[in-house]
Amino acid sequence: MPITLSRNGFILIGLFLAFGAALAAAPSGPLVFAFVLAGWMISVGVHEFGHAFVAWRAGDTEVVGKGYLSFDPLKYADLSTSLILPVIALALGGIGFPGGAVYLREDLMRSRMGRSMSSLAGPLGTLLVLIVLAVVIAAGWREQDTSPVIVALAFLAFLQATALILNLLPIPGLDGYGVLRPWLPVRVQRAVRKFEALGILALLALLFLVPGASGLLIGTAVLVTDLLGVPREAIVGGWDAFTFWKQD
């Protein structure tokens, strides 16, 4: 099986652990920011790896040569969608905006179900990360004496919840639409394809320009984290520490 862990993947995981150790030893806002950002990049890697793995199983053998099965964050990177837009969304609104990019050959996949599942696999990877974080937080949460690492992980879990919800929206360019696309008439797919690149930009504008849109997303994400037992006060504490530049 052509699955490996690249040197860049090792480095990213190592940075995440190092930031976590430093945060536990000497809590600070900048360390929370770095720790959460590294964790976010890992979660994007899990999301994109999920897409690639299922696509490979469905017949897209080109994902191997592209390095998508090596968990190399640089292979999933697109400057605008992987870095600029997500960081803006994180910094301004505390929203885990969809990032990363793998370019799959749907024409090589053997069935419509394979194409659909390759799109769904990314959000399932995000859900897996969210569940793992919820388990770790439940083990470490102490209401009166909470580790800064735990509150940072709680905020990271909240970001996963927002990303999960956004990715499942049936908007062209997002995974929710990708799940539906193989089942649409070919003429509809062709007509929509030209607008797919604008879907993420339209979503960003919707969240930050339309009153109530971001509040609806945040409220729904909190319901998801509530169901998984992530304390709201831990999320708020993580958000406050993450946005250290807003503190007096």
Side-chain angles (χ1 to χ4, degrees), residues 12 15-16 19 33-43:
L12 179 58
L15 284 173
F16 176 70
F19 287 141
F33 184 90
F35 179 63
V36 170
L37 188 59
W40 172 255
M41 292 174 66
I42 290 173
S43 72

Side-chain angles (χ1 to χ4, degrees), residues 97-108:
F97 203 72
V102 288
Y103 301 99
L104 307 178
R105 288 284 305 275
E106 291 192 350
D107 58 308
L108 297 178

Side-chain angles (χ1 to χ4, degrees), residues 143-169:
E143 188 171 353
Q144 302 301 323
D145 184 24
T146 301
S147 161
V149 174
I150 293 299
V151 297
L153 290 176
F155 179 59
L156 181 59
F158 170 77
L159 295 178
Q160 300 307 305
T162 61
L164 177 64
I165 294 165
L166 291 176
N167 271 297
L168 289 175
L169 294 176

Side-chain angles (χ1 to χ4, degrees), residues 76-166:
Y76 308 135
D78 176 89
L79 182 60
S80 60
T81 59
S82 302
L83 184 61
I84 297 175
L85 293 180
V87 169
I88 290 174
L90 281 173
L92 294 182
I95 294 172
F97 203 72
V102 288
Y103 301 99
L104 307 178
R105 288 284 305 275
E106 291 192 350
D107 58 308
L108 297 178
M109 298 183 201
R110 290 181 292 271
S111 66
R112 287 189 293 179
M113 181 60 72
R115 300 183 191 105
S116 188
M117 290 305 297
S118 68
S119 291
L120 183 60
L124 289 178
T126 299
L127 178 61
L128 175 62
V129 172
L130 174 55
I131 291 172
V132 170
L133 288 172
V135 171
V136 173
I137 292 163
W141 169 248
R142 303 290 184 272
E143 188 171 353
Q144 302 301 323
D145 184 24
T146 301
S147 161
V149 174
I150 293 299
V151 297
L153 290 176
F155 179 59
L156 181 59
F158 170 77
L159 295 178
Q160 300 307 305
T162 61
L164 177 64
I165 294 165
L166 291 176

